[in-house]
Amino acid sequence: MPLYDCLLMMKQPLTRVAMEDLVGRVVRRVYQRNGVITDIKSFGTVKLGYGIKKLDGRHYEGQLMQMTFMVPPAFPKELHYLNKEDQLLRWLVVKHRNTGYGLEFVNEYDGKDEISLFRTGGLYSRKDDDEDDEDDDDDDEDNNEGDEGNN
């Protein structure tokens, strides 16, 4: 199932209960189609670049919400009932492109080369690295002493 973002711009003087009701209807529709809601964000009140004209006047501010969900590809066509919502100024559905998710993502990589990313041996098996680090500290101290003499 593809991943989609749904942006909802609602009228500004909207109560929290009315906003939850509108979002809840979209969520129930997603669940009816065996979809999964992955994220819901509220961006709060947003000033619009221009007034959106509706039957009750022009609106220059709105409540912006973003919902991310995984649904079948035919689902966005079912959201046209949102056009009839009087509390909604605008809505938009955007499909994520080039995104790895679900079983397609797991089968693509399978973690074949994961073990080759690790070094062989234990944590304390390489003492050469520790000795090199001590030598580097000595060099830094020598450089600092030379700087003090120049001042």
Side-chain angles (χ1 to χ4, degrees):
M1 284 190 271
L3 191 64
Y4 292 95
D5 275 334
C6 179
L7 297 168
L8 302 171
M9 177 69 69
M10 294 169 267
K11 292 181 180 178
Q12 172 51 29
L14 190 64
T15 64
R16 184 177 179 96
V17 175
M19 189 169 28
E20 288 174 358
D21 181 49
L22 181 62
V23 172
R25 279 185 266 157
V26 176
V27 168
R28 281 191 294 277
R29 182 73 57 113
V30 168
Y31 287 146
Q32 286 173 354
R33 300 293 178 255
N34 295 326
V36 177
I37 303 288
T38 59
D39 193 18
I40 296 178
K41 295 179 188 174
S42 175
F43 294 100
T45 302
V46 178
K47 293 189 184 290
L48 305 176
Y50 57 91
I52 297 177
K53 187 177 179 182
K54 290 292 182 177
L55 294 175
D56 57 346
R58 287 198 177 269
H59 298 272
Y60 295 94
E61 290 183 343
Q63 291 282 336
L64 183 62
M65 298 220 34
Q66 176 186 357
M67 298 172 50
T68 306
F69 45 77
M70 295 174 75
V71 290
F75 180 77
K77 295 176 186 170
E78 298 177 18
L79 288 177
H80 286 287
Y81 75 92
L82 291 174
N83 291 334
K84 298 176 185 172
E85 291 289 334
D86 59 340
Q87 302 159 344
L88 203 56
L89 295 174
R90 294 280 191 267
W91 63 276
L92 175 69
V93 177
V94 180
K95 182 178 180 181
H96 285 239
R97 303 282 183 188
N98 301 327
T99 307
Y101 49 84
L103 293 176
E104 294 124 14
F105 178 68
V106 173
N107 293 336
E108 180 180 303
Y109 177 63
D110 283 340
K112 294 176 187 174
D113 300 325
E114 270 185 29
I115 196 69
S116 66
L117 298 175
F118 297 104
R119 287 180 157 172
T120 57
L123 291 173
Y124 302 106
S125 65
R126 296 197 51 156
K127 293 186 179 181
D128 299 335
D129 291 341
D130 295 337
E131 292 172 6
D132 291 342
D133 291 340
E134 291 173 5
D135 293 341
D136 292 340
D137 294 339
D138 294 338
D139 293 339
D140 293 340
E141 291 173 5
D142 294 339
N143 291 338
N144 290 339
E145 290 173 8
D147 291 340
E148 292 173 4
N150 293 335
N151 291 333

